[in-house]
Each structure stands twice: as structure tokens, then as C-alpha cells.
Amino acid sequence: ASSEAAIVVIGTGLAGYGLVRELRKYDKDSPVIMITSDDGRAYSKPMLSTGFTKNTDADALAQKDAGGMGEDLNASVWTSTKVTAINTAAQVITIGDKETQVHYKKLVLALGADVIRPPIQGNALEYVYSVNDLLDYHDFRTAVAKNNVKKVCIIGGGLIGCEFTNDLLNGGIETETVDPLGYCLPTLLPEAAGKAVQAGLEAKGAKFHFGPLVTEVNKSSDGLIVSLNNGETINCDLVLSAVGVRPQIKLAQEAGLTVNRGIATNRLLETSAPNVYAMGDCAEVAGHVLVYVAPLMAQARALAKTLSGDATEVSYPAMPVTIKTPACPVTVSPAPRDAKGTWEIEQDGINVVARFVGTDGELLGFALTGEGTKQKMVLQKLLPAIMP
Ligand code: FAD
């Protein structure tokens, strides 16, 4: 541990590195320690679901290693180091089970989100992969190559599941995608738009099973057999689970911080404990859990100012999300949770412009597919800010 208490950032994803990059614009010298349980390589996580299209392996996706990042950011980056406890009264964190303790002046939790693992039985669970970081990605690509994979069964037809469906098809691998709901991206899109994405992907060769749950994955004579709760089965060579992520709250919860769906913060990104902040996928900022890049960049810009002495609240403009399904491009700006309104839909084949309109006729959100995505700029200007 260093003699002068440092700013300690736990996590070296886009949130952690993005914050320290912003911080160094205002404060070149304060000691910063960054701690990560992974290898600390900097990479753009959204690229994990375009790797087969672009034929890039994990090493090619890594932009810089931890040492290089430390040099660039004038920070000390500790890799393969898991933080196991926070004592907010003493302003100390514990590392590993060796009881190493590090004092902090300010602590930033940029812990990311964990993948949700669906309850599945069977004798081939070691062939069920999920891809949520560079190491997972390396393992998945290695398994695809090693097992000479021709077909992947994807569990989940949401953002990650549909992106991987498109990506694997682009890489020449067949897909069958299973989702208990009725169409693609069911939690983000109205049915007409979700069906358009389905049609676009089916035209590229995707197969979908909407309605059932996956119950078992077992070995067969020449690969795997995936069982669904409607009695159907799917033969494949590998399974990719993509049913969603959940903010990492355990460490904060055990430290007595207020948590809800994510680690609760105000608009200054302050948690319930003094000098402890949270940002990125793990944070619930004034009630908003937004597990995307644009919000964490807005957080990084605000928190960097706050940490260098200029207390700055984060603002969110409307932040549409582009989903990387080139077979049927999608841009969506979800309405606020619990917003009351109705979808107004114009459709021409896979080209959909769906406006979510509130009770006073105001635009609250939209979902655009195919050629409809060309309306993004115009509609985005009409949307209210998420957090002005
Ligand atoms: P992470 O990158 O998960 O970083 C968490 C860090 O915390 C890691 O370094 C980890 O090692 C560390 N850590 C956690 N716990 C501990 C501990 N106890 N001790 C030490 N270290 C710890 N968003 C978009 O906006 N557009 C997209 O197109 C898009 N595509 C995506 C595609 C895929 C396949 C995935 C998985 C996500 C995608 N997202 C996209 C979401 C976006 O990538 C995430 O919102 C963002 O990368 C989250 O960054 P983060 O830094 O908060 O978390």
C-alpha cells in the first residue's frame, strides 16, 4: 500500500479506465490505484459481439495491456487482484484472502455487471458459454475452433443474443436461438419491430424458438442436444447463454452500502458511504440502471470533475442504443420505466418506425428498424432528456 492515501478505482472496464482518463485532464498527479480481478487489458466490450464478423481474436481486440494503461494514465494498475471487502468507516479495502489492506482517500466502484445464469440441467454444462469479458471471449473462440463448431444454440433473444446470432451467421456458423418471450429484443422493442429483426436474421439463415425455456444440455453421439420445455430438442455443437446481466452489488451490499437494482448513488455518483462512488454497469444513478456505454461516459466526465474538486452532477440526454444486427439494423430509445403511453407504428417490410407517445401526445421513446433507423437524428431531437 502507498503512504499517501490514493484515489482507488475498482474495475478497469470502460467505466474505470474512462473515469481515470477524464480525471487526468484536470489532475495529472494525485496518486491513483486501479484494481481489477481480470488481466487489466483495455478493450471495447461492444466489440465482443462483432468478433466473428471481423474475424478478430481476443488479442486483437485488446487495445493495450495493464502496464501500458498504467503508464498512459499515470496510475498503478493491479491485475488479477480481487477486492473482497470494504470498510467504509476506516476507508480501507481488503484484497484477496491475504488480508492485504489498502487505505483510500476516495473509492470508486466500477465493478460492472454479472451474467445471469439460467438454471439448466444436463451432463454437458461445460459446453455452455457466456461472453461478458475478453477472457470469456477468448475461451468461447477457442472452444469454437477446437470443437470444429458448425452450429451454436443461443439462449436468449435479447440484445446480446441477437447480436451474437448475427455475428455467428456472418462467421459462417449456423444458429438456433431460444427465447421464452415472443420475438426478438422483446424487452426493448414493440412486436412489429421485434418481428422485423427476426425476419432480417431469418433471411440470413437464423432459426428461432420463441416461447420455450431451455431445460437441459446433454452430450449426444456427435455433439450436444439441447432440450426445451415444450418437448422440442436442438442439435448443436456449442451453447452460448445470453440471457442478460445484473449489476454487481454484492461487494457494496456486504459493506453496508445502500443497494437496489444497482449500487445506489445520487447524481454526484455518491453512494450512501462517505467518499465512496459508483459508476458504470454496477451503479443505479438516481434510480436509473443503464448498462450501456453512453451513460458511463457521461458519468466519467462528471465524476472526474467532482474528484478534482468541482462537484458536478451527471446529466443524461436522450441516449439511443444501436444494436449490432446488420441483417436488420436497430436503434432504440426506450421510454422511461413506468412511462404511460402507446406505440404508434409505421411499417414497410422490415423497415419500422415505432414512436412511443405519452398521454399528452409527446414523444417518450422510439424503436427503429431497417431503413427506419434513418429517422434517428430527427426523432432523437424530439425526445426529452433522461435526466436533464
Ligand atoms: P466491466 O467492463 O464489466 O468492468 C468491470 C471491472 O470490474 C472489471 O475490470 C472486473 O475485473 C472488475 N471487478 C469486478 N469486481 C471486482 C472485484 N471484486 N475486485 C476487483 N475487480 C473487480 N453497450 C453499448 O452502449 N453499445 C453496445 O453496442 C454494446 N454492446 C455490447 C455487447 C456485448 C457482448 C456486451 C457484453 C455488452 C455490450 N454493451 C454495449 C454494454 C457495455 O459494453 C457495458 O455497459 C460496459 O462495457 C460496462 O463497462 P463497466 O466498466 O461498467 O464494466
Side-chain angles (χ1 to χ4, degrees):
S2 65
S3 47
E4 186 192 345
I7 297 173
V8 175
V9 179
I10 313 176
T12 57
L14 291 171
Y17 278 142
L19 169 68
V20 177
R21 197 171 282 122
E22 288 295 320
L23 178 69
R24 287 308 187 210
K25 293 181 181 170
Y26 312 104
D27 173 351
K28 302 254 179 289
D29 302 316
S30 290
V32 171
I33 298 173
M34 303 190 70
I35 303 178
T36 176
S37 47
D38 64 23
D39 60 15
R41 286 189 288 178
Y43 71 103
S44 173
K45 187 176 281 202
M47 308 278 281
L48 295 180
S49 48
T50 56
F52 285 87
T53 305
K54 297 178 180 157
N55 196 19
T56 35
D57 63 14
D59 289 344
L61 284 187
Q63 291 151 351
K64 208 163 255 191
D65 66 14
M69 290 304 293
E71 246 169 67
D72 282 5
L73 299 172
N74 184 26
S76 165
V77 183
W78 301 0
T79 58
S80 307
T81 304
K82 193 174 164 93
V83 175
T84 50
I86 308 168
N87 179 337
T88 58
Q91 298 203 177
V92 161
I93 56 172
T94 303
I95 285 166
D97 15 78
K98 288 173 294 182
E99 298 292 307
T100 309
Q101 304 222 311
V102 182
H103 197 75
Y104 60 83
K105 185 171 80 173
K106 307 275 179 187
L107 178 67
V108 180
L109 307 176
L111 305 168
D114 292 327
V115 293
I116 298 171
R117 295 185 192 283
I120 297 173
Q121 310 289 313
N123 65 15
L125 299 183
E126 72 269 32
Y127 294 99
V128 180
Y129 285 78
S130 57
V131 174
N132 190 38
D133 62 32
L134 208 49
L135 299 172
D136 293 344
Y137 178 75
H138 174 78
D139 291 347
F140 180 63
R141 277 188 77 94
T142 305
V144 166
K146 193 178 128 214
N147 299 293
N148 190 24
V149 167
K150 304 254 185 313
K151 194 204 275 181
V152 173
C153 172
I154 298 166
I155 308 176
L159 185 151
I160 311 277
C162 284
E163 288 193 353
F164 273 110
T165 297
N166 203 147
D167 189 43
L168 288 165
L169 291 169
N170 286 352
I173 295 169
E174 284 179 63
T175 62
E176 293 200 34
T177 304
V178 185
D179 194 290
L181 300 178
Y183 51 86
C184 290
L185 301 153
T187 60
L188 287 172
L189 302 183
E191 183 165 357
K195 290 248 157 91
V197 179
Q198 179 182 347
L201 288 168
E202 281 171 348
K204 278 205 71 97
K207 276 196 192 152
F208 288 97
H209 302 258
F210 288 115
L213 288 166
V214 170
T215 53
E216 288 189 32
V217 178
N218 289 294
K219 288 173 191 157
S220 69
S221 53
D222 59 348
L224 304 176
I225 183 151
V226 175
S227 306
L228 311 183
N229 70 351
N230 63 359
E232 285 177 41
T233 56
I234 297 169
N235 294 304
C236 63
D237 307 303
L238 216 58
V239 178
L240 181 63
S241 173
V243 303
V245 295
R246 187 180 285 138
Q248 244 260 45
I249 58 172
K250 189 166 165 273
L251 184 64
Q253 193 165 29
E254 288 170 358
L257 303 189
T258 302
V259 297
N260 189 23
R261 284 180 300 142
I263 302 169
T265 79
N266 60 17
R267 289 182 60 169
L268 289 169
L269 303 163
E270 294 170 329
T271 67
S272 59
N275 299 314
V276 182
Y277 303 81
M279 63 174 300
D281 280 4
C282 67
E284 177 172 329
V285 180
H288 298 275
V289 176
L290 299 170
V291 290
Y292 302 109
V293 176
L296 71 81
M297 292 309 294
Q299 294 160 12
R301 288 189 291 270
L303 184 54
K305 288 187 186 155
T306 300
L307 292 178
S308 45
D310 172 18
T312 302
E313 293 194 330
V314 67
S315 310
Y316 289 156
M319 294 178 284
V321 178
T322 295
I323 293 157
K324 300 182 292 301
T325 46
C328 176
V330 182
T331 300
V332 56
S333 192
R337 264 160 57 95
D338 310 326
K340 289 201 173 40
T342 48
W343 285 105
E344 293 179 358
I345 294 171
E346 292 162 44
Q347 177 163 20
D348 171 17
I350 69 161
N351 311 307
V352 175
V353 176
R355 295 179 180 78
F356 190 82
V357 179
T359 39
D360 295 329
E362 74 284 21
L363 186 71
L364 293 177
F366 60 71
L368 311 172
T369 66
E371 295 286 312
T373 54
K374 291 185 176 154
Q375 300 295 313
K376 176 192 160 189
M377 295 296 250
V378 175
L379 292 178
Q380 186 174 349
K381 291 204 181 90
L382 301 174
L383 283 178
I386 296 172
M387 211 160 64

